Amino acid sequence: MNGNGSNRIREEDVYVNRDAHPDWPTGAERLLKAGDEVLCVGGVAEVVKVLGRTGDGSRLLELKLKDVQGAKPFYAAASNVLVVPTQVAA
């Protein structure tokens, strides 16, 4: 058993912080499509593809971070992303 706690994965590094945006729905609560913006653990990302289902029943999303030059696509459960609200036209 390794007593070094620095190798442990922290919850805030794996799960999106819903407290930061309590009024934003999760991806499991909204029907997402390619091009939608979501907030994930890494920041704002664009949905590249909507794939099959995950173990919790939400969709598997292929995402790409918007603000990171050269970022490679990655996968996340829709239940672990927050949907960026669309701006209401004035």
Side-chain angles (χ1 to χ4, degrees):
M1 185 164 135
N2 185 355
N4 185 352
S6 65
N7 292 331
R8 293 189 183 150
I9 297 173
R10 299 178 314 171
E11 188 170 329
E12 59 267 18
D13 293 337
V14 180
Y15 296 103
V16 70
N17 181 1
R18 189 123 197 227
D19 295 335
H21 303 283
D23 54 331
W24 291 17
T26 68
E29 299 169 39
R30 284 270 174 92
L31 184 61
L32 295 172
K33 62 185 181 319
D36 287 343
E37 286 189 356
V38 297
L39 180 66
C40 64
V41 173
V44 177
E46 181 178 338
V47 176
V48 177
K49 290 181 189 174
V50 179
L51 304 161
R53 301 266 178 198
T54 64
D56 67 8
S58 68
R59 301 305 295 253
L60 179 64
L61 305 174
E62 183 177 346
L63 304 175
K64 185 168 184 185
L65 292 175
K66 293 192 70 143
D67 298 332
V68 179
Q69 189 74 3
K72 298 202 184 288
F74 61 97
Y75 299 95
S79 59
N80 195 30
V81 300
L82 300 178
V83 180
V84 177
T86 56
Q87 299 296 330
V88 178

Coordinates of all heavy atoms in Angstrom, one line a residue:
M1 N 0.8 -1.2 0.0 CA 0.0 0.0 0.0 C 0.9 1.2 0.0 O 1.8 1.4 0.8 CB -0.9 0.0 1.2 CG -1.9 1.1 1.2 SD -3.1 0.7 2.5 CE -3.3 2.3 3.2
N2 N 0.6 2.1 -0.9 CA 1.4 3.4 -1.0 C 0.7 4.4 -0.2 O -0.4 4.8 -0.3 CB 1.4 3.8 -2.5 CG 2.3 5.0 -2.8 OD1 2.8 5.6 -1.8 ND2 2.4 5.3 -4.0
G3 N 1.5 5.0 0.7 CA 1.0 6.1 1.6 C 1.1 7.5 1.0 O 0.7 8.4 1.6
N4 N 1.6 7.6 -0.2 CA 1.7 8.8 -0.9 C 0.4 9.3 -1.5 O -0.1 8.8 -2.5 CB 2.8 8.8 -2.0 CG 3.1 10.1 -2.6 OD1 2.4 11.1 -2.3 ND2 4.1 10.1 -3.4
G5 N -0.3 10.2 -0.9 CA -1.6 10.7 -1.3 C -1.5 11.5 -2.6 O -2.5 11.9 -3.2
S6 N -0.3 11.9 -3.1 CA -0.2 12.7 -4.3 C -0.6 12.0 -5.5 O -0.9 12.6 -6.5 CB 1.2 13.3 -4.4 OG 2.1 12.2 -4.6
N7 N -0.6 10.7 -5.5 CA -1.0 9.9 -6.6 C -2.5 9.6 -6.7 O -3.0 9.0 -7.6 CB -0.3 8.5 -6.6 CG 1.2 8.7 -6.8 OD1 1.6 9.7 -7.5 ND2 2.0 7.8 -6.3
R8 N -3.2 10.0 -5.7 CA -4.7 9.8 -5.7 C -5.4 10.7 -6.7 O -5.0 11.9 -6.8 CB -5.2 10.0 -4.3 CG -4.7 8.9 -3.4 CD -5.4 9.0 -2.0 NE -4.9 8.0 -1.2 CZ -4.8 8.2 0.1 NH1 -5.3 9.2 0.7 NH2 -4.3 7.2 0.9
I9 N -6.5 10.2 -7.2 CA -7.3 11.0 -8.1 C -8.3 11.8 -7.3 O -9.0 11.2 -6.5 CB -8.0 10.1 -9.2 CG1 -7.0 9.5 -10.0 CG2 -9.0 11.0 -10.0 CD1 -7.6 8.5 -11.0
R10 N -8.4 13.1 -7.4 CA -9.3 13.9 -6.7 C -10.6 14.0 -7.4 O -10.7 14.0 -8.6 CB -8.7 15.3 -6.5 CG -7.4 15.3 -5.7 CD -6.9 16.7 -5.6 NE -6.9 17.4 -6.8 CZ -6.7 18.7 -7.0 NH1 -6.3 19.4 -6.0 NH2 -6.7 19.3 -8.2
E11 N -11.7 14.0 -6.7 CA -13.1 14.0 -7.3 C -13.3 15.2 -8.2 O -13.9 15.1 -9.2 CB -14.1 14.0 -6.2 CG -15.5 13.8 -6.7 CD -16.5 13.6 -5.7 OE1 -16.2 13.0 -4.6 OE2 -17.7 14.0 -5.9
E12 N -12.7 16.4 -7.8 CA -12.9 17.6 -8.6 C -12.1 17.5 -9.9 O -12.4 18.3 -10.8 CB -12.5 18.8 -7.8 CG -11.1 18.9 -7.3 CD -10.9 18.3 -5.9 OE1 -11.8 17.6 -5.4 OE2 -9.9 18.6 -5.3
D13 N -11.2 16.6 -10.0 CA -10.5 16.4 -11.3 C -11.2 15.5 -12.2 O -10.9 15.3 -13.4 CB -9.1 15.8 -11.0 CG -8.2 16.8 -10.3 OD1 -8.4 18.0 -10.4 OD2 -7.2 16.3 -9.6
V14 N -12.3 14.8 -11.8 CA -13.0 13.8 -12.6 C -14.4 14.2 -12.8 O -15.0 13.9 -13.9 CB -12.9 12.4 -11.9 CG1 -13.7 11.4 -12.7 CG2 -11.5 12.0 -11.6
Y15 N -15.1 14.9 -11.9 CA -16.5 15.3 -12.0 C -16.6 16.8 -12.1 O -16.0 17.5 -11.4 CB -17.3 14.8 -10.8 CG -17.3 13.3 -10.7 CD1 -16.5 12.6 -9.8 CD2 -18.1 12.5 -11.6 CE1 -16.5 11.2 -9.7 CE2 -18.1 11.1 -11.5 CZ -17.2 10.5 -10.6 OH -17.2 9.1 -10.5
V16 N -17.5 17.2 -13.0 CA -17.7 18.6 -13.2 C -18.4 19.2 -12.0 O -19.2 18.5 -11.3 CB -18.6 18.9 -14.5 CG1 -20.0 18.4 -14.3 CG2 -18.6 20.3 -14.9
N17 N -18.1 20.4 -11.6 CA -18.6 21.0 -10.4 C -19.9 21.7 -10.7 O -20.0 22.8 -11.2 CB -17.6 22.1 -9.8 CG -18.1 22.7 -8.6 OD1 -19.1 22.4 -8.0 ND2 -17.3 23.7 -8.1
R18 N -21.0 21.0 -10.3 CA -22.3 21.5 -10.5 C -22.6 22.7 -9.7 O -23.5 23.5 -10.1 CB -23.3 20.4 -10.2 CG -24.7 20.7 -10.7 CD -25.2 19.7 -11.6 NE -26.4 20.3 -12.3 CZ -27.5 19.7 -12.4 NH1 -27.7 18.5 -12.0 NH2 -28.5 20.3 -13.0
D19 N -22.0 22.9 -8.6 CA -22.2 24.0 -7.7 C -21.8 25.4 -8.3 O -22.4 26.4 -8.0 CB -21.5 23.9 -6.4 CG -22.0 22.7 -5.5 OD1 -23.1 22.3 -5.7 OD2 -21.2 22.2 -4.7
A20 N -20.9 25.3 -9.3 CA -20.4 26.5 -9.9 C -21.5 27.1 -10.9 O -21.5 28.3 -11.1 CB -19.1 26.3 -10.7
H21 N -22.4 26.3 -11.4 CA -23.4 26.7 -12.3 C -24.7 25.9 -12.0 O -25.1 25.1 -12.8 CB -23.0 26.5 -13.8 CG -21.8 27.2 -14.1 ND1 -21.7 28.5 -14.4 CD2 -20.5 26.7 -14.3 CE1 -20.5 28.9 -14.7 NE2 -19.7 27.8 -14.6
P22 N -25.3 26.2 -10.8 CA -26.5 25.3 -10.4 C -27.7 25.4 -11.3 O -28.5 24.5 -11.4 CB -26.8 25.9 -9.0 CG -26.2 27.3 -9.0 CD -25.0 27.2 -9.9
D23 N -27.8 26.5 -12.1 CA -28.9 26.6 -13.0 C -28.7 26.0 -14.4 O -29.6 26.0 -15.2 CB -29.3 28.1 -13.2 CG -28.1 29.0 -13.6 OD1 -27.0 28.6 -13.3 OD2 -28.4 30.0 -14.3
W24 N -27.5 25.5 -14.7 CA -27.2 24.9 -16.0 C -27.6 23.4 -15.9 O -27.2 22.7 -14.9 CB -25.7 25.0 -16.3 CG -25.2 26.3 -16.6 CD1 -25.8 27.5 -16.3 CD2 -24.0 26.6 -17.2 NE1 -25.1 28.6 -16.7 CE2 -23.9 28.1 -17.3 CE3 -22.9 25.9 -17.7 CZ2 -22.8 28.7 -17.9 CZ3 -21.9 26.6 -18.3 CH2 -21.8 27.9 -18.4
P25 N -28.3 22.9 -16.9 CA -28.7 21.4 -16.9 C -27.5 20.6 -17.2 O -26.5 21.0 -17.9 CB -29.8 21.4 -17.9 CG -29.5 22.5 -18.9 CD -28.9 23.6 -18.0
T26 N -27.6 19.3 -16.8 CA -26.5 18.4 -17.3 C -26.9 17.9 -18.7 O -28.0 18.1 -19.2 CB -26.4 17.1 -16.4 OG1 -27.6 16.4 -16.5 CG2 -26.2 17.5 -14.9
G27 N -25.9 17.3 -19.3 CA -26.1 16.7 -20.7 C -27.2 15.6 -20.6 O -27.8 15.3 -21.7
A28 N -27.4 15.0 -19.5 CA -28.4 13.9 -19.4 C -29.8 14.5 -19.4 O -30.8 13.8 -19.7 CB -28.1 13.1 -18.1
E29 N -29.9 15.8 -19.0 CA -31.2 16.4 -18.9 C -31.6 17.1 -20.2 O -32.7 17.6 -20.4 CB -31.2 17.5 -17.8 CG -30.9 16.9 -16.5 CD -30.6 18.0 -15.4 OE1 -31.3 19.0 -15.4 OE2 -29.8 17.8 -14.6
R30 N -30.7 17.2 -21.2 CA -30.9 17.9 -22.5 C -30.5 16.9 -23.6 O -29.6 16.1 -23.5 CB -30.0 19.1 -22.6 CG -30.5 20.3 -21.8 CD -31.4 21.1 -22.7 NE -32.0 22.2 -21.9 CZ -31.5 23.4 -21.8 NH1 -30.4 23.7 -22.4 NH2 -32.1 24.3 -21.1
L31 N -31.2 17.1 -24.7 CA -30.8 16.3 -25.9 C -29.7 17.1 -26.6 O -29.9 18.3 -27.1 CB -32.0 16.2 -26.8 CG -31.8 15.4 -28.1 CD1 -31.4 13.9 -27.7 CD2 -33.1 15.3 -28.9
L32 N -28.5 16.6 -26.7 CA -27.3 17.3 -27.3 C -27.1 16.8 -28.7 O -27.5 15.7 -29.1 CB -26.1 17.0 -26.4 CG -26.1 17.6 -25.0 CD1 -24.9 17.1 -24.2 CD2 -26.2 19.1 -25.0
K33 N -26.5 17.7 -29.5 CA -26.1 17.3 -30.8 C -24.7 17.9 -31.1 O -24.2 18.7 -30.4 CB -27.1 17.9 -31.8 CG -27.3 19.4 -31.8 CD -28.4 19.8 -32.7 CE -28.6 21.3 -32.7 NZ -28.5 22.1 -31.5
A34 N -24.1 17.5 -32.2 CA -22.8 18.0 -32.6 C -22.9 19.5 -32.8 O -23.9 20.0 -33.3 CB -22.4 17.3 -33.9
G35 N -21.9 20.2 -32.2 CA -21.8 21.6 -32.3 C -22.2 22.3 -31.0 O -21.9 23.5 -30.8
D36 N -23.0 21.6 -30.1 CA -23.4 22.2 -28.9 C -22.2 22.5 -28.0 O -21.2 21.7 -28.0 CB -24.4 21.3 -28.1 CG -25.7 21.3 -28.8 OD1 -26.1 22.2 -29.6 OD2 -26.5 20.3 -28.5
E37 N -22.3 23.5 -27.1 CA -21.2 23.8 -26.2 C -21.6 23.3 -24.8 O -22.8 23.4 -24.4 CB -20.9 25.3 -26.1 CG -20.2 25.8 -27.3 CD -19.8 27.3 -27.0 OE1 -20.1 27.9 -26.0 OE2 -19.1 27.8 -27.9
V38 N -20.6 22.6 -24.1 CA -20.8 22.1 -22.8 C -19.7 22.5 -21.9 O -18.6 22.9 -22.4 CB -21.0 20.6 -22.8 CG1 -22.2 20.2 -23.6 CG2 -19.8 19.9 -23.4
L39 N -19.9 22.5 -20.6 CA -18.8 22.7 -19.7 C -18.4 21.4 -19.1 O -19.3 20.7 -18.5 CB -19.3 23.7 -18.6 CG -18.2 24.0 -17.5 CD1 -17.1 24.8 -18.1 CD2 -18.9 24.8 -16.4
C40 N -17.2 21.0 -19.2 CA -16.7 19.7 -18.7 C -15.6 20.0 -17.7 O -15.3 21.2 -17.4 CB -16.2 18.8 -19.8 SG -14.8 19.4 -20.7
V41 N -15.0 19.0 -17.1 CA -13.9 19.2 -16.1 C -12.8 20.1 -16.7 O -12.2 20.9 -16.0 CB -13.4 17.9 -15.6 CG1 -12.2 18.0 -14.8 CG2 -14.4 17.1 -14.9
G42 N -12.5 19.9 -18.0 CA -11.4 20.6 -18.7 C -11.7 22.0 -19.1 O -10.9 22.8 -19.6
G43 N -13.0 22.4 -19.0 CA -13.4 23.8 -19.5 C -14.5 23.7 -20.5 O -15.2 22.6 -20.6
V44 N -14.7 24.7 -21.3 CA -15.7 24.7 -22.3 C -15.3 23.8 -23.5 O -14.2 23.9 -24.0 CB -16.0 26.1 -22.8 CG1 -17.1 26.1 -23.9 CG2 -16.5 27.0 -21.6
A45 N -16.2 22.9 -23.9 CA -15.9 22.0 -25.0 C -17.1 22.0 -26.0 O -18.2 22.4 -25.7 CB -15.7 20.6 -24.5
E46 N -16.8 21.6 -27.2 CA -17.8 21.4 -28.2 C -18.1 19.9 -28.4 O -17.2 19.1 -28.4 CB -17.3 22.0 -29.6 CG -18.3 21.9 -30.7 CD -17.8 22.5 -32.0 OE1 -16.9 23.4 -31.9 OE2 -18.3 22.2 -33.0
V47 N -19.3 19.6 -28.6 CA -19.7 18.2 -28.8 C -19.4 17.9 -30.3 O -19.8 18.6 -31.2 CB -21.2 18.0 -28.6 CG1 -21.6 16.6 -29.0 CG2 -21.6 18.3 -27.1
V48 N -18.5 16.9 -30.5 CA -18.1 16.5 -31.8 C -19.1 15.4 -32.3 O -19.6 15.5 -33.4 CB -16.7 15.9 -31.8 CG1 -16.3 15.4 -33.1 CG2 -15.7 17.0 -31.3
K49 N -19.4 14.4 -31.4 CA -20.3 13.3 -31.8 C -21.1 12.9 -30.5 O -20.6 13.0 -29.4 CB -19.6 12.1 -32.3 CG -19.0 12.2 -33.6 CD -18.3 10.9 -34.0 CE -17.4 11.1 -35.2 NZ -16.7 9.8 -35.5
V50 N -22.3 12.5 -30.7 CA -23.1 11.9 -29.7 C -23.2 10.4 -30.0 O -23.6 10.0 -31.1 CB -24.6 12.5 -29.6 CG1 -25.4 11.8 -28.5 CG2 -24.5 14.0 -29.4
L51 N -22.7 9.6 -29.1 CA -22.5 8.1 -29.3 C -23.6 7.3 -28.5 O -24.6 7.8 -28.1 CB -21.1 7.7 -29.0 CG -20.1 8.5 -29.8 CD1 -18.7 8.5 -29.2 CD2 -20.1 8.1 -31.3
G52 N -23.2 6.1 -28.1 CA -24.1 5.2 -27.4 C -24.4 5.6 -26.0 O -24.1 6.8 -25.6
R53 N -24.8 4.7 -25.2 CA -25.1 5.0 -23.8 C -24.0 4.6 -22.8 O -23.2 3.6 -23.1 CB -26.4 4.2 -23.4 CG -27.6 4.5 -24.2 CD -28.4 5.5 -23.6 NE -29.5 5.8 -24.4 CZ -30.2 6.9 -24.3 NH1 -30.0 7.8 -23.4 NH2 -31.3 7.2 -25.1
T54 N -24.0 5.2 -21.7 CA -23.0 4.9 -20.7 C -23.7 4.0 -19.6 O -24.9 3.8 -19.7 CB -22.4 6.2 -20.0 OG1 -23.5 6.9 -19.3 CG2 -21.8 7.1 -21.0
G55 N -22.9 3.6 -18.6 CA -23.5 2.8 -17.5 C -24.6 3.5 -16.8 O -25.4 2.8 -16.2
D56 N -24.6 4.8 -16.7 CA -25.7 5.5 -15.9 C -26.8 5.8 -16.8 O -27.8 6.5 -16.4 CB -25.1 6.7 -15.2 CG -24.7 7.8 -16.2 OD1 -24.9 7.7 -17.4 OD2 -24.1 8.8 -15.7
G57 N -26.8 5.4 -18.1 CA -27.9 5.6 -19.0 C -27.8 6.9 -19.8 O -28.6 7.1 -20.7
S58 N -26.9 7.8 -19.5 CA -26.7 9.0 -20.3 C -25.9 8.7 -21.6 O -25.3 7.6 -21.7 CB -26.1 10.1 -19.5 OG -24.7 9.8 -19.2
R59 N -25.9 9.6 -22.5 CA -25.2 9.4 -23.8 C -23.7 9.6 -23.6 O -23.2 10.3 -22.7 CB -25.7 10.4 -24.8 CG -27.1 10.3 -25.2 CD -27.6 8.9 -25.6 NE -27.0 8.5 -26.8 CZ -27.6 8.4 -28.0 NH1 -28.9 8.7 -28.1 NH2 -27.0 7.9 -29.0
L60 N -22.9 8.9 -24.4 CA -21.5 9.1 -24.4 C -21.2 10.2 -25.5 O -21.7 10.1 -26.6 CB -20.8 7.8 -24.9 CG -19.3 7.8 -25.0 CD1 -18.6 8.1 -23.6 CD2 -18.7 6.5 -25.5
L61 N -20.4 11.2 -25.1 CA -20.1 12.3 -25.9 C -18.7 12.3 -26.3 O -17.8 12.0 -25.5 CB -20.4 13.6 -25.2 CG -21.8 13.8 -24.6 CD1 -21.9 15.1 -23.8 CD2 -22.9 13.8 -25.7
E62 N -18.4 12.6 -27.5 CA -17.0 12.9 -28.0 C -16.9 14.4 -27.9 O -17.7 15.1 -28.6 CB -16.8 12.4 -29.4 CG -15.3 12.6 -29.8 CD -15.0 12.1 -31.2 OE1 -15.8 11.2 -31.7 OE2 -14.0 12.4 -31.7
L63 N -16.0 14.9 -27.2 CA -15.8 16.4 -26.9 C -14.5 16.9 -27.4 O -13.5 16.1 -27.4 CB -16.0 16.7 -25.5 CG -17.3 16.3 -24.8 CD1 -17.2 16.6 -23.3 CD2 -18.5 16.9 -25.4
K64 N -14.4 18.1 -27.7 CA -13.1 18.8 -28.0 C -13.1 20.1 -27.3 O -14.0 20.9 -27.5 CB -12.9 19.0 -29.5 CG -11.5 19.5 -29.8 CD -11.2 19.4 -31.3 CE -9.8 19.9 -31.5 NZ -9.4 19.9 -32.9
L65 N -12.0 20.4 -26.5 CA -11.9 21.6 -25.7 C -11.8 22.8 -26.7 O -11.1 22.7 -27.7 CB -10.7 21.6 -24.8 CG -10.8 20.6 -23.6 CD1 -9.5 20.6 -22.8 CD2 -12.0 21.0 -22.7
K66 N -12.5 23.9 -26.5 CA -12.5 25.0 -27.4 C -11.3 25.9 -27.2 O -10.8 26.5 -28.2 CB -13.8 25.8 -27.2 CG -15.0 25.0 -27.7 CD -16.2 25.9 -27.8 CE -16.0 26.8 -28.9 NZ -17.2 27.1 -29.7
D67 N -10.9 26.1 -26.0 CA -9.8 27.1 -25.7 C -8.4 26.5 -25.6 O -7.5 27.3 -25.2 CB -10.2 27.8 -24.4 CG -11.5 28.6 -24.4 OD1 -11.9 29.0 -25.5 OD2 -12.1 28.7 -23.4
V68 N -8.2 25.3 -26.0 CA -6.9 24.7 -26.0 C -6.5 24.4 -27.4 O -7.1 23.5 -28.1 CB -6.9 23.4 -25.1 CG1 -5.6 22.8 -25.1 CG2 -7.4 23.7 -23.7
Q69 N -5.5 25.1 -27.8 CA -4.9 24.9 -29.2 C -4.4 23.5 -29.3 O -3.6 23.0 -28.5 CB -3.8 25.9 -29.5 CG -3.3 25.9 -30.9 CD -4.3 26.6 -31.8 OE1 -5.4 27.1 -31.4 NE2 -4.0 26.6 -33.1
G70 N -4.8 22.8 -30.4 CA -4.3 21.4 -30.6 C -4.9 20.3 -29.7 O -4.4 19.2 -29.7
A71 N -5.9 20.7 -29.0 CA -6.5 19.7 -28.1 C -7.1 18.5 -28.9 O -7.7 18.7 -29.9 CB -7.6 20.3 -27.2
K72 N -6.9 17.3 -28.4 CA -7.4 16.1 -29.1 C -8.8 15.8 -28.5 O -9.1 16.1 -27.3 CB -6.5 15.0 -28.9 CG -5.1 15.2 -29.5 CD -4.4 13.9 -29.7 CE -3.0 14.1 -30.2 NZ -2.9 14.6 -31.5
P73 N -9.7 15.3 -29.3 CA -11.0 14.9 -28.8 C -10.9 13.8 -27.7 O -10.0 13.0 -27.6 CB -11.7 14.3 -30.0 CG -11.0 14.8 -31.2 CD -9.6 15.0 -30.7
F74 N -11.9 13.8 -26.8 CA -12.0 12.9 -25.7 C -13.4 12.5 -25.4 O -14.3 13.1 -26.0 CB -11.3 13.4 -24.4 CG -11.9 14.7 -23.9 CD1 -12.8 14.6 -22.9 CD2 -11.5 15.9 -24.4 CE1 -13.4 15.8 -22.4 CE2 -12.1 17.1 -24.0 CZ -13.0 17.0 -23.0
Y75 N -13.7 11.6 -24.5 CA -15.0 11.1 -24.3 C -15.4 11.5 -22.9 O -14.6 11.4 -21.9 CB -15.1 9.6 -24.5 CG -14.8 9.3 -25.9 CD1 -13.5 8.9 -26.3 CD2 -15.8 9.3 -26.9 CE1 -13.2 8.6 -27.6 CE2 -15.5 9.0 -28.2 CZ -14.2 8.6 -28.6 OH -13.9 8.3 -29.9
A76 N -16.7 11.7 -22.7 CA -17.3 12.0 -21.4 C -18.8 11.6 -21.4 O -19.4 11.6 -22.5 CB -17.2 13.5 -21.0
A77 N -19.3 11.2 -20.3 CA -20.7 10.9 -20.1 C -21.5 12.2 -20.1 O -21.0 13.2 -19.5 CB -20.9 10.1 -18.8
A78 N -22.6 12.2 -20.7 CA -23.4 13.4 -20.8 C -23.8 13.9 -19.4 O -24.0 15.0 -19.1 CB -24.7 13.2 -21.6
S79 N -23.9 12.9 -18.5 CA -24.3 13.2 -17.1 C -23.2 14.0 -16.4 O -23.4 14.5 -15.3 CB -24.6 11.9 -16.3 OG -23.5 11.1 -16.3
N80 N -22.0 14.0 -16.9 CA -20.9 14.7 -16.3 C -20.4 15.9 -17.0 O -19.3 16.4 -17.0 CB -19.7 13.7 -16.2 CG -18.6 14.2 -15.2 OD1 -18.9 14.9 -14.2 ND2 -17.4 13.9 -15.5
V81 N -21.4 16.5 -17.8 CA -21.1 17.8 -18.4 C -22.3 18.7 -18.1 O -23.4 18.2 -17.9 CB -20.9 17.7 -19.9 CG1 -19.7 16.9 -20.2 CG2 -22.1 17.2 -20.7
L82 N -22.1 20.0 -18.1 CA -23.2 21.0 -18.0 C -23.4 21.7 -19.3 O -22.4 22.0 -20.1 CB -22.8 22.0 -16.9 CG -22.6 21.5 -15.5 CD1 -22.2 22.7 -14.6 CD2 -23.8 20.8 -15.0
V83 N -24.6 21.9 -19.7 CA -25.0 22.5 -21.0 C -24.9 24.0 -20.8 O -25.6 24.6 -20.0 CB -26.4 22.1 -21.4 CG1 -26.7 22.7 -22.8 CG2 -26.5 20.5 -21.5
V84 N -24.1 24.6 -21.7 CA -24.0 26.1 -21.7 C -25.3 26.7 -22.2 O -25.7 26.3 -23.3 CB -22.8 26.5 -22.6 CG1 -22.7 28.0 -22.6 CG2 -21.5 25.9 -22.0
P85 N -25.9 27.5 -21.4 CA -27.2 28.1 -21.8 C -27.0 28.9 -23.1 O -26.0 29.6 -23.2 CB -27.7 28.9 -20.7 CG -26.8 28.6 -19.5 CD -25.6 28.0 -20.1
T86 N -28.0 28.9 -24.0 CA -28.0 29.8 -25.1 C -28.4 31.2 -24.7 O -29.2 31.4 -23.8 CB -28.9 29.3 -26.2 OG1 -30.2 29.2 -25.7 CG2 -28.4 27.9 -26.7
Q87 N -27.8 32.2 -25.3 CA -28.1 33.6 -25.0 C -29.5 33.9 -25.6 O -29.8 33.6 -26.7 CB -27.1 34.5 -25.6 CG -25.7 34.3 -25.0 CD -25.6 34.5 -23.5 OE1 -26.3 35.4 -23.0 NE2 -24.7 33.8 -22.9
V88 N -30.3 34.6 -24.8 CA -31.6 35.0 -25.2 C -31.5 36.3 -26.0 O -30.8 37.2 -25.6 CB -32.6 35.2 -24.0 CG1 -33.9 35.7 -24.5 CG2 -32.7 33.9 -23.2
A89 N -32.0 36.2 -27.3 CA -31.9 37.4 -28.1 C -32.7 38.6 -27.5 O -33.8 38.4 -27.0 CB -32.4 37.1 -29.5
A90 N -32.1 39.8 -27.6 CA -32.7 41.0 -27.0 C -33.7 41.6 -27.9 O -33.6 41.5 -29.1 CB -31.7 42.0 -26.5

